[in-house]
Amino acid sequence: DTAVSQTPKYLVTQMGNDKSIKCEQNLGHDTMYWYKQDSKKFLKIMFSYNNKELIINETVPNRFSPKSPDKAHLNLHINSLELGDSAVYFCASSLSGTQYFGPGTRLLVL
Amino acid sequence: AQSVTQLDSQVPVFEEAPVELRCNYSSSVSVYLFWYVQYPNQGLQLLLKYLSGSTLVKGINGFEAEFNKSQTSFHLRKPSVHISDTAEYFCAVSDSLSGSARQLTFGSGTQLTVLP
């Protein structure tokens, strides 16, 4: 009965590879987000979708592409991974202003 | 645009002592305010939130916070901490505008360490 789930939990990969992170919420929320937490634990918004429509796209390299097949899912695809992409990526969903976060995906690029 | 300042990056405190984690924000519009806790290698858990109404809000695990609009602050308090409260605490703000995406802007975090 997990509210916001992400897969995988850990992801170790080589530079230049392409990888995807999946996010699903069973809360019936309309809005979903991706945040990045860097090595200093600073959290920053990357994207937001509302009812499958992109509404926030912060200054993120276009190697990062979110996709929302339905309002319960928001996946993040990353092309040509770089060392600086190593971070924890959090998915969140919200209704009426309060955001609930997934457990995070710890990405390490070697 | 909003910004959040957490004034203390690290707060050590002895078990059963009171603690206050400070948070100040700036915004040109009305806001919602949140505190999240992150235990080591885990996700973000909502501690409490201020959306409207009473300025004193109570959250989980005995935490409370007070919204002070004139001082643009939202400090987090607990009267008696436990070892299990050791974690990173994040203050966050979003605008409260209808139709807004309400993205969260986070502070840099405060590491609370409870000592035996």
Side-chain angles (χ1 to χ4, degrees), chain A residues 13 15-17 19 63 78-82 85 107 109:
Chain A
T13 188
M15 273 176 48
N17 285 349
K19 291 293 178 185
R63 297 182 295 104
I78 316 170
N79 288 326
S80 303
L81 278 155
E82 299 178 357
D85 297 332
L107 172 64
V109 183

Side-chain angles (χ1 to χ4, degrees), chain B residues 34-77:
Chain B
F34 306 86
W35 276 99
Y36 286 87
V37 60
Q38 185 177 28
Y39 297 103
N41 297 315
Q42 295 196 21
L44 293 158
Q45 182 180 5
L46 180 67
L47 266 182
L48 48 77
K49 60 187 177 183
Y50 172 78
L51 303 182
S52 65
S54 172
T55 57
L56 181 64
V57 292
K58 294 188 184 297
I60 61 171
N61 301 340
F63 284 94
E64 64 179 32
E66 184 155 21
F67 170 52
N68 188 320
K69 189 174 181 180
S70 62
Q71 297 187 3
T72 60
S73 67
F74 191 54
H75 300 332
L76 181 70
R77 300 184 183 98

Side-chain angles (χ1 to χ4, degrees), chain A residues 9-10 31 33 35 37 40-45 48 55-56 58 90 96-104 106, chain B residues 32 34 36 38-46 49 51 88 90 94 100-108 111:
Chain A
K9 189 170 182 179
Y10 299 97
T31 308
Y33 309 80
Y35 289 85
Q37 185 176 44
K40 295 184 179 178
K41 296 191 177 179
F42 186 69
L43 283 146
K44 189 173 180 183
I45 183 76
S48 175
I55 52 173
I56 294 175
E58 290 294 306
F90 286 103
S96 301
T98 303
Q99 292 187 27
Y100 297 91
F101 285 77
R106 285 151 182 81
Chain B
Y32 293 155
F34 306 86
Y36 286 87
Q38 185 177 28
Y39 297 103
N41 297 315
Q42 295 196 21
L44 293 158
Q45 182 180 5
L46 180 67
K49 60 187 177 183
L51 303 182
E88 190 86 23
F90 292 95
S94 73
S100 162
R102 295 183 181 155
Q103 66 194 79
L104 288 172
T105 299
F106 284 89
S108 53
Q111 172 65 43

